[in-house]
Amino acid sequence: MVRFTVLASGSRGNCTVLSGGRTRILVDAGLSCRELFRRMKLAGEEPATLNAIVITHEHQDHVNGLAVTARRLGIPVYFTEATHRAWMRWLQPRRQMSYAQWLEMVRKQAAERQAEPEAQENDPPDDPNGDDPGESAVENLVETAPASSDSALDPAPDPSSSRPPALKDDPTWLPAVEYFQPGEPFSIGDICLSPFTIPHDAADPVGFVFSSEGVRLGFATDLGYIPPNVREQLRDLDLLLLESNHDLEMLRDGPYPWSVKQRVLSRVGHLSNDAASAFLAEDYDGQAAYIILGHLSENNNLPELARVAAERALLGRASLLANRLLLAAQHEPLSAISF
Ligand SMILES: [Zn+2]
Ligand SMILES: [Zn+2]
């Protein structure tokens, strides 16, 4: 059985559980771990049965509870490499240095090096057989590794017995990290994932088509508009989760500062009710049994406005009356959808 449960959707946190065969994955971890587990239980899902976490992009509303949840469950996290790096930067922001500060730092380092010429004595000896210094360094590592348990002088810890670092010491530590690339499908257990690039102001944001047991589910939120590659992906689906972020008039007249309004409206911002319904009216192939509108703005949208816009688009096409339209909410899970 394939089951799709949206635990939360919106700018305060996004989280969805997807089960297929014997595999269960969490798509985004934008709620605190405690709230995430509470909602899973509320929705009849058991957190301990999750096999992996998959991240669409590094914005806070998609990763807020990531480190704690992955550590608590001891499960791998799937990212693109750029998203993983951006997430780590977010958790450990580097201080920007001025040129003068940098110069000072370089001078200090040079002075320290000159003061300690004996430090070179600790360098590993050159390998006479190795042309490539990198390779010989690796060989040195491999050769010395087995001896380490006998050597009282070697302080290297045994990796198998080392415990994960405390969250405050290394907030980026995860039990395991796997990289995927947009455009290259991959599998986690019984679920196949096809990630595709979406236009959004993050390092390497993706949407997904998930498939398992012959059921196909499309996942596209956090996108400024629907480019041809996304349109192409959102076909032959049994379920479509589509962003319907804001009502254009509410956003225009709403409380956000001008710069934020520009960001939301931009080609790398969020999809409006009008843009979502234009897709449904013109490009959508009508195959999905369920359409879920998601990532609704709490300030610049009303569920009824999003629903009416989408219904109008679907009603214009008589063949689509069988499509069930649902709205994902921010503060409570949507009932599980099973196939
Ligand atoms: Zn978001
Ligand atoms: Zn985002």
Side-chain angles (χ1 to χ4, degrees):
M1 187 173 72
V2 173
R3 201 168 63 235
F4 188 84
T5 311
V6 183
L7 299 175
S9 186
S11 56
R12 288 171 194 267
N14 294 273
C15 240
T16 297
V17 181
L18 171 61
S19 313
R22 287 153 300 156
T23 308
R24 230 173 294 277
I25 60 175
L26 190 67
V27 185
D28 287 334
L31 298 172
S32 71
C33 180
R34 174 201 285 251
E35 179 63 10
L36 204 156
F37 284 8
R38 190 186 74 82
R39 292 206 190 182
M40 280 190 76
K41 292 197 169 133
L42 214 59
E45 301 279 355
E46 176 50 49
T49 63
L50 284 170
N51 300 106
I53 302 175
V54 181
I55 299 298
T56 59
H57 64 295
E58 75 279 12
H59 284 165
Q60 191 170 356
D61 54 320
H62 298 256
V63 297
N64 212 11
L66 173 60
V68 176
T69 307
R71 282 159 171 258
R72 187 76 55 83
L73 297 173
I75 54 177
V77 181
Y78 288 70
F79 295 102
T80 73
E81 189 171 358
T83 297
H84 182 217
R85 281 170 194 270
W87 175 72
M88 290 196 290
R89 275 199 305 276
W90 175 62
L91 287 173
Q92 291 183 315
R94 269 201 213 133
R95 205 163 56 86
Q96 286 285 339
M97 247 186 261
S98 69
Y99 175 65
Q101 286 169 323
W102 175 80
L103 210 58
E104 181 60 28
M105 185 192 76
V106 171
R107 278 200 191 119
K108 240 187 221 162
Q109 283 173 345
E112 278 167 17
R113 267 200 303 274
Q114 271 191 337
E116 298 172 33
E118 68 274 18
Q120 282 180 357
E121 285 168 23
N122 296 328
D123 284 348
D126 284 336
D127 181 350
N129 302 321
D131 300 322
D132 175 1
E135 200 174 301
S136 73
V138 171
E139 279 169 14
N140 282 338
L141 271 178
V142 171
E143 277 171 25
T144 55
S148 66
S149 54
D150 297 324
S151 166
L153 295 171
D154 191 341
D158 174 6
S160 61
S161 71
S162 63
R163 291 226 242 116
L167 198 63
K168 64 175 170 34
D169 294 333
D170 184 359
T172 66
W173 188 90
L174 295 169
V177 171
E178 293 281 345
Y179 290 146
F180 62 82
Q181 290 188 339
E184 293 188 10
F186 63 101
S187 290
I188 303 175
D190 298 324
I191 299 173
C192 176
L193 301 89
S194 292
F196 53 87
T197 294
I198 52 173
H200 190 52
D201 54 357
D204 191 13
V206 295
F208 284 103
V209 171
F210 303 103
S211 53
S212 189
E213 303 176 35
V215 177
R216 283 168 49 84
L217 310 108
F219 198 100
T221 70
D222 298 76
L223 63 175
Y225 71 106
I226 302 188
N229 79 304
V230 175
R231 227 179 294 149
E232 207 55 42
Q233 294 288 330
L234 301 181
R235 290 205 172 133
D236 286 327
L237 299 172
D238 297 289
L239 179 151
L240 168 62
L241 171 61
L242 183 66
E243 172 161 54
S244 194
N245 180 261
H246 55 272
D247 174 77
L248 286 168
E249 272 175 42
M250 282 184 75
L251 178 66
R252 217 172 285 144
D253 303 336
Y256 284 4
W258 185 83
S259 59
V260 179
K261 288 180 183 179
Q262 288 305 307
R263 193 219 135 214
V264 173
L265 284 168
S266 79
R267 305 262 288 174
V268 289
H270 289 276
L271 213 59
S272 68
N273 295 345
D274 285 357
S277 53
F279 168 79
L280 294 175
E282 291 154 26
D283 299 305
Y284 167 57
D285 68 2
Q287 298 297 305
Y290 295 92
I291 293 172
I292 305 174
L293 303 179
H295 219 300
L296 269 67
S297 166
E298 289 182 300
N299 293 312
N300 304 308
N301 209 351
L302 294 169
E304 274 319 294
L305 289 176
R307 179 190 292 279
V308 165
E311 267 174 359
R312 200 173 294 146
L314 294 172
L315 282 172
R317 303 171 63 181
S319 62
L320 305 189
L321 289 173
N323 284 214
R324 277 199 64 191
L325 187 67
L326 303 168
L327 267 69
Q330 182 69 87
H331 298 289
E332 57 185 358
L334 189 64
S335 300
I337 297 166
S338 301
F339 295 89

